[in-house]
Amino acid sequence: MKIAVYPGTFDPITNGHLDIIKRGLTIFDKIIVTIALNSSKKPLFSAEERMDMIRCSTVGMDNIEVASFRGLIAPWVKTQNAHTIIRGLRAISDFEYEFQMALMNRKINESIDTIFLMPNARYTFLNSTIIREMGRLQGDVAQFVPSCVVERLKEKFPD
Ligand code: ADP
C-alpha cells in the first residue's frame, strides 16, 4: 500500500489544497492529511476546527485520513509507514523554501522523498492567508473554498 503524508497548516483548507489531494490520490493508495500542531504560525482556527474542515471537505473521498502531529514531520512520517511527503507548488516563489525543507527532511530520514504537485492554474494565486483576510472583510469566498469552510468563516467573522 502506497501511503503519502500531506502536511500543512490548513488554516483553512482551500480548493487549492483539495486539488493537490485529488491529484495525489491518483498516485497513492492513501493520503494522510496532517496538521502541524506546533508550527511557528498563529492559526485563526483551532487544530480541531481545521481537522473538521478537512474532514467535511473530503466527504465521499475514499482513502483520506486526517491527523495531526507535533514536532518534526520526518520522524512522524515514519510512524505512519509512509515514505513520501506531498507538497504543493504554486509558483517559483514557493520553490526555495520547499526545496530547503525537502532536503532537510531527507537529512533527518534518508528514506523520505518529497513530491511536488502543481495545482490547476486557477488555484495558483490562492492561499489560506488571503482567504482569512477575505473572510474578515466579509468577502465572498464561495468559489475558493469548500462550502463547509464558507460556513466556518461566517461563524468566525459574523456581520
Ligand atoms: P504550510 O504552513 O506548511 O505552508 P499550508 O496549509 O499553507 O501549510 O500549505 C500546505 C501545502 O499546500 C504547501 O505545500 C503549500 O505550498 C500547498 N498549497 C497551499 N495552497 C495551495 C494552492 N492554492 N495550490 C497548491 N498548493 C497549495
Side-chain angles (χ1 to χ4, degrees):
M1 180 140 174
K2 281 187 289 177
I3 304 171
V5 169
Y6 182 28
T9 311
F10 304 104
D11 187 35
I13 187 167
T14 69
N15 289 343
H17 292 125
L18 269 183
D19 180 284
I20 297 295
I21 292 171
K22 286 178 188 157
R23 286 172 201 281
L25 281 176
T26 68
I27 306 170
F28 294 95
D29 300 314
K30 178 167 128 184
I31 296 181
I32 307 174
V33 185
T34 188
I35 290 188
L37 291 176
N38 53 355
S39 94
S40 52
K41 294 183 181 174
K42 183 104 187 57
L44 170 68
F45 290 99
S46 72
E48 259 324 306
E49 288 174 320
R50 284 179 280 149
M51 289 171 76
D52 274 355
M53 287 187 281
I54 298 171
R55 284 191 201 100
C56 67
S57 307
T58 55
V59 165
M61 274 188 216
D62 290 333
N63 310 323
I64 292 290
E65 200 177 299
V66 184
S68 62
F69 69 100
R70 277 186 199 285
L72 294 168
I73 185 67
W76 191 85
V77 168
K78 219 172 159 182
T79 67
Q80 305 301 304
N81 292 321
H83 301 281
T84 311
I85 294 174
I86 295 177
R87 296 287 288 177
L89 272 188
R90 285 160 289 192
I92 294 287
S93 51
D94 281 339
F95 180 76
E96 206 161 317
Y97 172 69
E98 295 291 345
F99 182 66
Q100 188 180 25
M101 283 226 299
L103 291 181
M104 183 53 89
N105 283 328
R106 182 184 284 161
K107 264 265 182 272
I108 297 169
N109 182 344
E110 190 63 46
S111 67
I112 290 183
D113 269 302
T114 304
I115 69 158
F116 297 97
L117 297 175
M118 267 68 90
N120 186 300
R122 67 172 173 269
Y123 300 128
T124 50
F125 67 95
L126 202 53
N127 63 23
S128 300
T129 306
I130 204 161
I131 292 300
R132 290 193 302 276
E133 196 61 3
M134 287 278 285
R136 191 173 70 79
L137 301 171
Q138 310 293 337
D140 181 4
V141 292
Q143 53 181 311
F144 309 123
V145 295
S147 52
C148 64
V149 175
V150 176
E151 294 311 312
R152 294 301 184 95
L153 276 163
K154 282 186 187 150
E155 286 164 25
K156 252 322 157 201
F157 300 109
D159 291 323

